[in-house]
Amino acid sequence: MTDTAPELHFSACPHDCPSTCALEVEKLAPDRIGRVRGAEENSYTAGVICAKVARYAERVHHPDRLLFPLRRTGPKGSRQFTRIGWDEALDRTAEAFLARERQHGAETIWPYYFAGTMGQVMFYGIERLRHAKRYSNWYTTICVNPAWLGFEAGTGKLMGSDPREMAKADCVVIWGTNAVNTQVNVMHHATKARKERGAKIVVVDVYRNTTAQQADMFLCVRPGTDGALACAVMHVLFRDNLADRDFLARCTDAPAELEAHLKTRTPAWASAITGLSIAEIEAFAHLVGRTKRTFFRLGFGFTRSRNGAVNMHAALSISAVTGCWRYEGGGAFKNNEAIYTWNRTLLEGLDVRDTSVRSLDQSRIGAILCGEREALRNGPPVTGLLIQNTNPMCVAPDLNMVRRGFARDDLFTCVHEQFMTDTAAMADIVLPATAFLEHDDIYSGGGHQHVMFGPKIIEPPGECRTNHDVINDLAKRVGAKHPGFEMTAWELIDHTLKASGYPDAATLKAKRWIEVQPDFETAHYVKGFAHPDGKFHFKPDWKQYVPRAMGLADAPPDMPTLPDHWDVIERATDEMPFRLVTAPARNTLNSSFTETPTSQAREGRPRAKMHPADAALLGVADGDRVRLGNRRGTVVVLAEHFEGLQRGVVIVEGVMPGGAFEDGLNTNVLTGADTVAPIGGAAFHDNAIWLRRADAPAAQPKETSSDVADRSPQGSSHRRKLVPAS
């Protein structure tokens, strides 16, 4: 018998990652795949994908995939369900929604979703149901707001240099993103520049992560202090005549004001805030100032703070001071959202959207479900949830409040999922969902420049149905009317592509992807930045971005008018002397892949990375159980001695399910859900906590007064000596 080669199919990774990798997938049988590889012909993916997607067969064929609709039979969270048919499941859901609508009005139902798939049809179709029924609107805040705003405030548009130009740079600055863990293609292009051009790779982050380990220069800052570093760098650029004054005069709004403002933002000033040495700051400034082809690849991590938008804008502003936008291989990049021309009117039902319907903040789900009037916009309670593509019982901030909200007896929840997640366990009805290889969809890469087709390759297991089919079937039962509910997924794909100015579905499927990268002059703003005056803005008008429809007030009066360190972070105190960052893990993506055996084995139990000197003073040995806590809650993890961070900083990687923790909830019990100014967002990496051995008395650690170092006026903890509470 001779072995036959498996069929090779092409697809696109659907997960919540800017890389949106072009894939080659082996099909072994009508319902089974083999290996998954990066498509070498795609100029951004270039054959490179992350290990977790390379082993996707482990996830799509996992024995714990949900296969049939389920009805809850035990208490919420008990995971006690019985199998039912699809008609019964959808009928029960529709009846529950209609009954609540009769009692409280349509706004009592809140369709809730996010980026478990980034496919246009399967991601956005839930909006069509929302708008057709006048259910409560959706204000998305959990991921991009501070980062995207900070970039757009400078350039006027969410678009930057072609990310493939990293390979043509002489210096690549990777700021606030652990690319090895989260965007492996960034590292591919950056290391290509180092290999072929001798480029330097600089990493700015809060701990020596897997990306920092590959850097030529690593700047380990305290969490939330990136704006101070950026200002000191620009101070040196002006002071040492490394600023591109011609570019500044022609292309920026307030160069003289910026230079005057930065006179006091010296390396010594920034050193006291960031914890970096003066020499480190000077060396970084001289490197980017003398290297014209410097590419700033700006991430999300350093914006997940209460001053995140200001941090992004300050870091971006360095590129305008150096004038590196002039050069191929130079400039800055955050996301390419603005280069796409998507017209989702039919897909989302935007033609029937009622703007008078209230919008609810995604990140405030805990407060919303717990009935806080401000969070509810003074409207009716939320008594019905339809959830697709997200797992708020794991990924949402202020998780103790989220759990209290989900536990309400009067809340009916329907979850459409691939696995029995923490959120599905709280549902009344659970519906089995297809994986991306089991349905057709189209994608665009935020981290690159391609529109991509992801075809159905294999048959789904059991009775799994697509998001599109569930939305259409539920719409009929609740009386929602819209042409999109009568269309197949293929018809919606075809219509959306053509309405957006792209080739039709058949053409895109045959081509696999199309490139929509703007030319050099457009991407580098050669003819002017995207603000009406054509200038890069050092002085953004923050208040113009405030979403009035969300009832948010003006931008805070103390929000900096020029790049600065904005001191609104959650400060370390005597009672809570540590600053916690919940960073992404390498083998998981948010709460996805946490169910696969290889990811579980490689990640192990949740660990708190802490400096050995801090651990010694608290009597915490490597591997000890430690409890982390603040006013929002507590969580038990294992301690890991780690020298690659500053004193007073704690890192816990990954968003593991509650079952990985002793108390049943993960580290998001410690993260706040307060609104990040000026447009909303979640400050996942901005948390003050205490830490003690789990077997120690319940009192929090305290400091000895003789050993507490001075704190900077900006409120960032300096090195201190801690002793366990007696």
Side-chain angles (χ1 to χ4, degrees), residues 403-465:
R403 176 165 63 178
R404 290 196 297 273
F406 268 98
R408 280 172 35 210
D409 289 335
D410 68 323
L411 176 68
F412 180 90
T413 303
C414 175
V415 174
H416 187 205
E417 251 296 355
Q418 297 166 354
F419 292 91
M420 183 57 71
T421 63
D422 291 349
T423 304
M426 299 296 288
D428 298 278
I429 296 291
V430 177
L431 307 174
T434 51
F436 79 102
L437 298 169
E438 299 159 358
H439 56 243
D440 291 329
D441 214 334
I442 47 176
Y443 306 85
S444 55
H448 54 86
Q449 53 282 107
H450 295 94
V451 174
M452 314 170 80
F453 199 93
K456 178 180 178 180
I457 296 174
I458 56 173
E459 294 298 322
E463 297 179 7
C464 294
R465 292 189 185 179

Side-chain angles (χ1 to χ4, degrees), residues 44-46 48 163-174 179-180 183-203 210-216 295 297:
Y44 186 75
T45 300
V48 178
R164 295 169 296 192
E165 288 182 36
M166 283 183 284
K168 300 177 181 180
D170 294 322
C171 176
V172 180
V173 179
I174 301 173
V180 171
Q183 298 178 60
V184 67
N185 308 95
V186 170
M187 291 307 298
H188 168 73
H189 294 287
T191 54
K192 182 179 179 181
R194 178 159 60 189
K195 180 179 179 180
E196 296 181 358
R197 302 177 58 86
K200 300 295 184 184
I201 297 176
V202 181
V203 171
T210 49
T211 303
Q213 291 167 16
Q214 297 192 30
D216 299 290
F295 192 108
R297 182 59 173 86

Side-chain angles (χ1 to χ4, degrees), residues 120 205 213-215 276 301 347 385 402 452 464 504 515 558 725:
Q120 297 287 315
D205 218 310
Q213 291 167 16
Q214 297 192 30
L276 296 170
L347 178 56
L385 287 172
V402 176
M452 314 170 80
C464 294
D504 62 20
E515 182 176 326
D558 64 337

Side-chain angles (χ1 to χ4, degrees), residues 459-472:
E459 294 298 322
E463 297 179 7
C464 294
R465 292 189 185 179
T466 71
N467 290 5
H468 175 72
D469 289 338
V470 168
I471 293 300
N472 286 357

Side-chain angles (χ1 to χ4, degrees), residues 502-584:
Y502 299 133
D504 62 20
T507 301
L508 181 60
K509 183 176 182 180
K511 287 179 173 291
R512 297 175 283 166
W513 57 76
I514 58 169
E515 182 176 326
V516 295
Q517 174 64 38
D519 60 21
F520 176 88
E521 286 193 347
T522 303
H524 284 251
Y525 301 100
V526 172
K527 295 180 180 179
F529 286 90
H531 291 293
D533 61 3
K535 306 289 188 180
F536 181 97
H537 281 192
F538 292 127
K539 291 185 67 176
D541 180 11
W542 295 110
K543 66 178 181 293
Q544 73 170 303
Y545 300 104
V546 176
R548 307 294 179 185
M550 283 301 297
L552 296 179
D554 283 343
D558 64 337
M559 195 168 185
T561 56
L562 287 162
D564 213 339
H565 170 64
W566 189 24
D567 182 27
V568 292
I569 58 177
E570 192 166 275
R571 298 183 177 205
T573 64
D574 290 352
E575 293 73 30
M576 292 183 291
F578 292 96
R579 296 263 295 146
L580 170 69
V581 170
T582 54

